[in-house]
Each structure stands twice: as C-alpha cells, then as structure tokens.
Coordinates of all heavy atoms in Angstrom, one line a residue:
M642 N 10.6 15.9 -6.2 CA 9.3 15.3 -6.0 C 9.4 14.1 -5.0 O 10.2 13.2 -5.3 CB 8.7 14.9 -7.3 CG 7.4 14.2 -7.2 SD 6.7 13.9 -8.9 CE 5.0 13.8 -8.5
P643 N 8.5 14.1 -4.0 CA 8.6 12.9 -3.1 C 8.1 11.7 -3.7 O 7.3 11.7 -4.6 CB 7.7 13.4 -1.9 CG 6.8 14.4 -2.5 CD 7.6 15.1 -3.6
S644 N 8.6 10.6 -3.2 CA 8.1 9.3 -3.7 C 6.7 9.1 -3.3 O 6.2 9.4 -2.2 CB 9.0 8.2 -3.0 OG 8.4 6.9 -3.2
P645 N 5.9 8.4 -4.2 CA 4.5 8.2 -3.8 C 4.3 7.2 -2.7 O 3.2 7.0 -2.2 CB 3.8 7.7 -5.1 CG 5.0 7.2 -6.0 CD 6.2 8.0 -5.5
F646 N 5.4 6.5 -2.3 CA 5.3 5.5 -1.3 C 5.7 6.1 0.1 O 5.7 5.4 1.1 CB 6.2 4.3 -1.6 CG 5.7 3.6 -2.8 CD1 6.3 3.9 -4.1 CD2 4.7 2.7 -2.8 CE1 5.8 3.2 -5.2 CE2 4.2 2.1 -3.9 CZ 4.7 2.3 -5.1
E647 N 6.1 7.4 0.1 CA 6.4 8.1 1.4 C 5.2 8.7 2.0 O 4.2 8.9 1.3 CB 7.5 9.1 1.1 CG 8.8 8.6 0.6 CD 9.8 9.7 0.3 OE1 9.5 10.9 0.4 OE2 10.9 9.3 -0.2
S648 N 5.3 9.0 3.3 CA 4.2 9.7 4.0 C 4.0 11.1 3.4 O 4.9 11.8 3.0 CB 4.6 9.8 5.5 OG 3.6 10.5 6.1
H649 N 2.7 11.4 3.3 CA 2.3 12.7 2.8 C 1.6 13.5 3.9 O 0.8 14.5 3.6 CB 1.3 12.6 1.6 CG 2.0 11.9 0.5 ND1 2.8 12.6 -0.4 CD2 1.9 10.6 0.0 CE1 3.3 11.7 -1.3 NE2 2.7 10.5 -1.1
G650 N 1.8 13.2 5.1 CA 1.2 13.9 6.3 C 0.2 13.0 6.9 O -0.5 12.2 6.2
E651 N 0.1 13.0 8.2 CA -0.8 12.2 8.9 C -2.2 12.6 8.7 O -2.5 13.8 8.6 CB -0.5 12.2 10.4 CG 0.8 11.5 10.8 CD 0.9 10.1 10.2 OE1 0.0 9.3 10.5 OE2 2.0 9.8 9.6
G652 N -3.1 11.7 8.6 CA -4.6 11.9 8.4 C -5.0 12.0 7.0 O -6.2 12.0 6.7
E653 N -4.1 12.2 6.1 CA -4.4 12.3 4.7 C -4.5 10.9 4.1 O -3.6 10.1 4.2 CB -3.3 13.1 3.9 CG -3.6 13.3 2.4 CD -2.5 14.0 1.7 OE1 -1.8 14.8 2.4 OE2 -2.4 13.9 0.5
P654 N -5.7 10.5 3.5 CA -5.8 9.2 2.9 C -5.0 9.0 1.6 O -5.6 9.1 0.5 CB -7.3 9.1 2.7 CG -7.8 10.5 2.5 CD -6.9 11.3 3.3
S655 N -3.8 8.8 1.8 CA -2.8 8.8 0.6 C -2.4 7.5 0.1 O -1.8 7.4 -0.9 CB -1.6 9.6 1.0 OG -1.0 9.0 2.2
H656 N -2.7 6.4 0.8 CA -2.2 5.1 0.5 C -3.3 4.0 0.6 O -4.3 4.2 1.3 CB -1.0 4.7 1.3 CG 0.2 5.5 1.0 ND1 0.4 6.7 1.6 CD2 1.2 5.3 0.2 CE1 1.5 7.3 1.2 NE2 2.0 6.4 0.3
L657 N -3.1 2.9 -0.1 CA -3.9 1.7 0.0 C -3.0 0.5 0.4 O -1.8 0.5 0.1 CB -4.6 1.3 -1.3 CG -5.6 2.3 -1.9 CD1 -5.8 2.0 -3.3 CD2 -6.9 2.3 -1.1
V658 N -3.6 -0.5 1.0 CA -2.9 -1.8 1.2 C -3.6 -2.7 0.2 O -4.8 -2.8 0.1 CB -3.1 -2.4 2.6 CG1 -2.6 -3.8 2.7 CG2 -2.4 -1.4 3.6
L659 N -2.8 -3.4 -0.6 CA -3.2 -4.3 -1.7 C -2.9 -5.7 -1.3 O -1.9 -5.9 -0.5 CB -2.6 -4.0 -3.0 CG -2.7 -2.6 -3.6 CD1 -2.1 -2.5 -4.9 CD2 -4.2 -2.1 -3.6
V660 N -3.6 -6.7 -1.8 CA -3.3 -8.1 -1.6 C -3.6 -8.8 -3.0 O -4.4 -8.4 -3.8 CB -4.2 -8.7 -0.5 CG1 -5.7 -8.7 -0.9 CG2 -3.8 -10.1 -0.2
N661 N -2.7 -9.8 -3.3 CA -2.9 -10.5 -4.5 C -3.4 -11.9 -4.2 O -3.6 -12.3 -3.0 CB -1.6 -10.5 -5.3 CG -0.5 -11.3 -4.7 OD1 -0.7 -12.1 -3.8 ND2 0.7 -11.1 -5.1
A662 N -3.6 -12.7 -5.2 CA -4.1 -14.1 -5.1 C -3.3 -15.0 -4.2 O -3.8 -16.0 -3.6 CB -4.4 -14.7 -6.4
T663 N -2.0 -14.7 -4.1 CA -1.1 -15.6 -3.3 C -1.0 -15.1 -1.8 O -0.3 -15.6 -1.0 CB 0.3 -15.7 -3.9 OG1 0.9 -14.4 -3.9 CG2 0.2 -16.3 -5.3
G664 N -1.8 -14.0 -1.5 CA -1.8 -13.5 -0.2 C -0.7 -12.5 0.1 O -0.5 -12.1 1.3
E665 N 0.1 -12.1 -0.9 CA 1.1 -11.1 -0.7 C 0.5 -9.7 -0.6 O -0.5 -9.4 -1.3 CB 2.1 -11.1 -1.8 CG 2.9 -12.4 -1.9 CD 3.7 -12.4 -3.2 OE1 3.2 -12.3 -4.3 OE2 4.9 -12.7 -3.0
H666 N 1.0 -8.9 0.3 CA 0.5 -7.5 0.5 C 1.5 -6.5 0.0 O 2.7 -6.7 0.0 CB 0.2 -7.3 2.0 CG -0.9 -8.1 2.5 ND1 -0.9 -9.5 2.7 CD2 -2.2 -7.7 2.9 CE1 -2.1 -9.9 3.2 NE2 -2.9 -8.8 3.3
S667 N 0.9 -5.3 -0.3 CA 1.8 -4.2 -0.8 C 1.2 -2.9 -0.4 O -0.1 -2.7 -0.4 CB 1.9 -4.3 -2.3 OG 2.6 -3.3 -2.9
L668 N 2.0 -1.9 -0.2 CA 1.6 -0.5 0.0 C 1.5 0.1 -1.4 O 2.4 0.0 -2.2 CB 2.7 0.2 0.9 CG 2.4 1.6 1.3 CD1 1.1 1.7 2.2 CD2 3.6 2.2 2.0
W669 N 0.4 0.9 -1.6 CA 0.2 1.4 -2.9 C -0.4 2.9 -2.8 O -1.2 3.1 -2.0 CB -0.8 0.6 -3.7 CG -0.9 0.8 -5.2 CD1 -1.9 1.4 -5.8 CD2 0.1 0.5 -6.1 NE1 -1.6 1.5 -7.2 CE2 -0.3 0.9 -7.4 CE3 1.4 -0.1 -6.0 CZ2 0.4 0.8 -8.5 CZ3 2.1 -0.2 -7.2 CH2 1.6 0.2 -8.4
P670 N 0.1 3.8 -3.6 CA -0.4 5.2 -3.6 C -1.9 5.2 -4.0 O -2.3 4.6 -5.0 CB 0.4 6.0 -4.5 CG 1.1 4.9 -5.4 CD 1.1 3.7 -4.7
A671 N -2.8 5.9 -3.2 CA -4.2 5.9 -3.5 C -4.6 6.6 -4.8 O -5.6 6.2 -5.4 CB -4.9 6.6 -2.3
F672 N -3.7 7.5 -5.3 CA -4.1 8.1 -6.6 C -3.9 7.3 -7.8 O -4.4 7.5 -8.9 CB -3.2 9.4 -6.7 CG -1.8 9.2 -7.0 CD1 -1.3 8.9 -8.3 CD2 -0.9 9.2 -6.0 CE1 0.0 8.6 -8.5 CE2 0.5 9.0 -6.2 CZ 0.9 8.7 -7.5
A673 N -3.1 6.2 -7.7 CA -2.8 5.3 -8.8 C -3.8 4.2 -8.9 O -4.3 3.6 -7.9 CB -1.4 4.7 -8.7
P674 N -4.2 3.8 -10.2 CA -5.1 2.7 -10.3 C -4.5 1.4 -9.7 O -3.3 1.2 -9.8 CB -5.2 2.5 -11.8 CG -4.7 3.8 -12.4 CD -3.7 4.4 -11.4
V675 N -5.4 0.6 -9.1 CA -4.9 -0.7 -8.6 C -4.5 -1.6 -9.7 O -5.3 -1.8 -10.7 CB -6.0 -1.3 -7.7 CG1 -5.6 -2.7 -7.2 CG2 -6.3 -0.4 -6.5
P676 N -3.3 -2.2 -9.7 CA -2.9 -3.0 -10.8 C -3.7 -4.3 -10.9 O -4.3 -4.8 -9.9 CB -1.4 -3.4 -10.5 CG -1.0 -2.5 -9.4 CD -2.3 -2.0 -8.7
A677 N -3.8 -4.9 -12.1 CA -4.5 -6.1 -12.4 C -3.9 -7.2 -11.5 O -2.7 -7.3 -11.3 CB -4.3 -6.5 -13.8
G678 N -4.7 -8.0 -10.9 CA -4.3 -9.1 -10.1 C -4.2 -8.7 -8.6 O -3.8 -9.6 -7.8
W679 N -4.4 -7.5 -8.3 CA -4.3 -7.0 -6.9 C -5.7 -6.4 -6.5 O -6.4 -5.8 -7.3 CB -3.2 -5.9 -6.8 CG -1.9 -6.5 -7.0 CD1 -1.2 -6.7 -8.1 CD2 -0.9 -6.9 -5.9 NE1 0.0 -7.3 -7.9 CE2 0.2 -7.3 -6.6 CE3 -1.0 -6.9 -4.6 CZ2 1.3 -7.8 -5.9 CZ3 0.1 -7.3 -3.9 CH2 1.3 -7.8 -4.5
D680 N -6.0 -6.5 -5.2 CA -7.3 -5.9 -4.7 C -6.9 -5.0 -3.5 O -6.0 -5.4 -2.7 CB -8.2 -7.0 -4.3 CG -8.7 -7.8 -5.5 OD1 -9.3 -7.2 -6.4 OD2 -8.5 -9.0 -5.5
A681 N -7.6 -3.9 -3.3 CA -7.5 -3.1 -2.1 C -8.1 -3.8 -0.9 O -9.1 -4.4 -1.0 CB -8.1 -1.7 -2.3
V682 N -7.4 -3.7 0.2 CA -7.9 -4.2 1.5 C -8.3 -3.0 2.3 O -7.4 -2.3 2.8 CB -6.8 -5.0 2.2 CG1 -7.2 -5.5 3.6 CG2 -6.2 -6.1 1.4
G683 N -9.6 -2.7 2.4 CA -10.0 -1.6 3.1 C -9.9 -0.3 2.3 O -9.5 -0.3 1.1
A684 N -10.3 0.8 2.9 CA -10.3 2.1 2.3 C -8.9 2.8 2.3 O -8.1 2.3 3.1 CB -11.3 3.0 3.0
A685 N -8.7 3.8 1.5 CA -7.5 4.6 1.6 C -7.3 5.1 3.0 O -8.3 5.5 3.6 CB -7.5 5.7 0.5
A686 N -6.1 5.2 3.4 CA -5.8 5.8 4.7 C -4.4 6.4 4.7 O -3.7 6.4 3.7 CB -5.8 4.6 5.8
D687 N -4.1 7.1 5.8 CA -2.8 7.7 5.8 C -1.7 6.7 5.8 O -1.9 5.5 6.1 CB -2.7 8.7 7.0 CG -2.7 8.0 8.4 OD1 -1.7 7.4 8.8 OD2 -3.8 8.0 9.0
H688 N -0.5 7.1 5.5 CA 0.7 6.2 5.4 C 0.9 5.4 6.6 O 1.1 4.1 6.5 CB 1.9 7.1 5.1 CG 3.2 6.4 4.8 ND1 4.2 6.2 5.7 CD2 3.6 5.8 3.6 CE1 5.1 5.5 5.1 NE2 4.8 5.3 3.8
H689 N 0.9 6.0 7.8 CA 1.2 5.2 9.0 C 0.1 4.1 9.3 O 0.5 3.0 9.6 CB 1.2 6.2 10.2 CG 1.4 5.5 11.5 ND1 2.6 5.1 11.9 CD2 0.5 5.2 12.5 CE1 2.5 4.5 13.1 NE2 1.2 4.6 13.5
T690 N -1.1 4.4 9.0 CA -2.2 3.4 9.2 C -2.0 2.3 8.3 O -2.1 1.1 8.6 CB -3.6 4.1 9.0 OG1 -3.8 5.1 10.0 CG2 -4.7 3.1 9.1
C691 N -1.7 2.6 7.0 CA -1.4 1.5 6.0 C -0.2 0.6 6.4 O -0.3 -0.6 6.3 CB -1.3 2.1 4.6 SG -2.9 2.7 3.9
L692 N 0.8 1.3 6.9 CA 2.0 0.5 7.3 C 1.6 -0.4 8.5 O 2.0 -1.6 8.6 CB 3.1 1.4 7.7 CG 3.9 2.1 6.6 CD1 5.0 3.0 7.1 CD2 4.5 1.1 5.6
S693 N 0.7 0.1 9.4 CA 0.3 -0.7 10.5 C -0.6 -1.9 10.0 O -0.5 -3.0 10.6 CB -0.6 0.1 11.5 OG 0.2 1.1 12.0
R694 N -1.3 -1.7 9.0 CA -2.1 -2.8 8.4 C -1.2 -3.9 7.8 O -1.5 -5.1 7.8 CB -3.0 -2.3 7.3 CG -4.2 -1.5 7.8 CD -5.0 -1.0 6.6 NE -6.0 -0.1 7.0 CZ -6.7 0.7 6.1 NH1 -6.5 0.6 4.8 NH2 -7.6 1.5 6.6
L695 N -0.1 -3.5 7.3 CA 0.9 -4.4 6.6 C 1.7 -5.2 7.7 O 2.0 -6.4 7.4 CB 1.9 -3.6 5.8 CG 1.4 -3.2 4.4 CD1 2.5 -2.3 3.8 CD2 1.1 -4.3 3.5
A696 N 2.0 -4.6 8.8 CA 2.9 -5.2 9.8 C 2.6 -6.6 10.2 O 3.4 -7.5 10.1 CB 3.0 -4.3 11.0
P697 N 1.3 -6.9 10.6 CA 1.0 -8.3 11.0 C 1.0 -9.3 9.9 O 1.2 -10.5 10.1 CB -0.3 -8.2 11.6 CG -0.8 -6.8 11.4 CD 0.2 -6.0 10.7
S698 N 0.8 -8.9 8.7 CA 0.7 -9.9 7.6 C 1.9 -9.9 6.6 O 1.9 -10.7 5.7 CB -0.5 -9.5 6.7 OG -0.4 -8.2 6.2
A699 N 2.9 -9.1 6.9 CA 4.0 -9.0 5.9 C 4.9 -10.2 6.0 O 5.6 -10.4 6.9 CB 4.8 -7.7 6.3
P700 N 4.9 -11.0 4.9 CA 5.8 -12.1 4.8 C 7.2 -11.7 4.4 O 7.4 -10.5 4.0 CB 5.2 -13.0 3.8 CG 4.5 -12.1 2.9 CD 4.0 -10.9 3.8
A701 N 8.1 -12.5 4.4 CA 9.5 -12.2 3.9 C 9.3 -11.8 2.4 O 8.5 -12.4 1.7 CB 10.4 -13.3 4.0
P702 N 10.0 -10.8 1.9 CA 9.9 -10.3 0.5 C 10.2 -11.5 -0.4 O 11.2 -12.2 -0.3 CB 10.9 -9.2 0.4 CG 11.2 -8.8 1.8 CD 11.0 -10.0 2.7
S703 N 9.4 -11.6 -1.5 CA 9.6 -12.6 -2.5 C 9.9 -12.0 -3.8 O 10.1 -12.7 -4.8 CB 8.3 -13.5 -2.6 OG 7.3 -12.7 -3.1
G704 N 9.9 -10.7 -3.9 CA 10.2 -10.1 -5.2 C 9.0 -9.7 -6.0 O 9.1 -9.0 -7.0
A705 N 7.8 -10.1 -5.6 CA 6.6 -9.8 -6.3 C 6.2 -8.4 -5.9 O 6.1 -8.0 -4.8 CB 5.5 -10.8 -5.9
T706 N 5.9 -7.6 -6.9 CA 5.4 -6.3 -6.7 C 4.2 -6.1 -7.7 O 4.1 -6.7 -8.7 CB 6.4 -5.2 -7.0 OG1 6.9 -5.4 -8.3 CG2 7.6 -5.3 -6.0
P707 N 3.3 -5.2 -7.3 CA 2.2 -4.9 -8.2 C 2.6 -4.2 -9.5 O 3.6 -3.7 -9.6 CB 1.3 -4.0 -7.5 CG 1.9 -3.7 -6.2 CD 3.2 -4.4 -6.1

C-alpha cells in the first residue's frame, strides 16, 4: 500500500496543505480529517500542486507534525 503522503497521480485532488497557529505548514492526505490545531490552506489539490504551495513557506523542520 502506498504512503498517503506520496503522489497518487497528477490532477487528482489527493492532498491538502495545513497550517497551525505558529505558522508551520504540513502536507496532509485529503481523505483524512484535519487534526485539531491545524487548518487547511486552500482546497484539496494534486500532490505536486500542494508541494508547490509548501515550497515558498517551508521553514526548517522543527519536529512539529499534525
């Protein structure tokens, strides 16, 4: 079974970009409920689009995950 964080084909709205109160961003599978303390940024999109949304805002990893 593929990881839910991997690409599922271009054009399929399979992922979300999430943000928490401290401004950290995360890639999240669209089928899973958004965890408490996190909010979706925009609509579900394909894997590549969501990674593009993360690129400009991605800070150094701090260990926080949803």
Side-chain angles (χ1 to χ4, degrees):
M642 176 175 205
S644 166
F646 296 97
E647 294 176 2
S648 177
H649 297 281
E651 293 305 310
E653 182 181 338
S655 57
H656 293 83
L657 295 165
V658 173
L659 305 183
V660 65
N661 66 16
T663 62
E665 295 172 304
H666 289 74
S667 179
L668 182 66
W669 195 251
F672 70 83
V675 174
W679 293 81
D680 295 303
V682 178
D687 65 79
H688 187 260
H689 177 76
T690 299
C691 287
L692 287 178
S693 295
R694 290 179 188 167
L695 284 173
S698 62
S703 66
T706 59

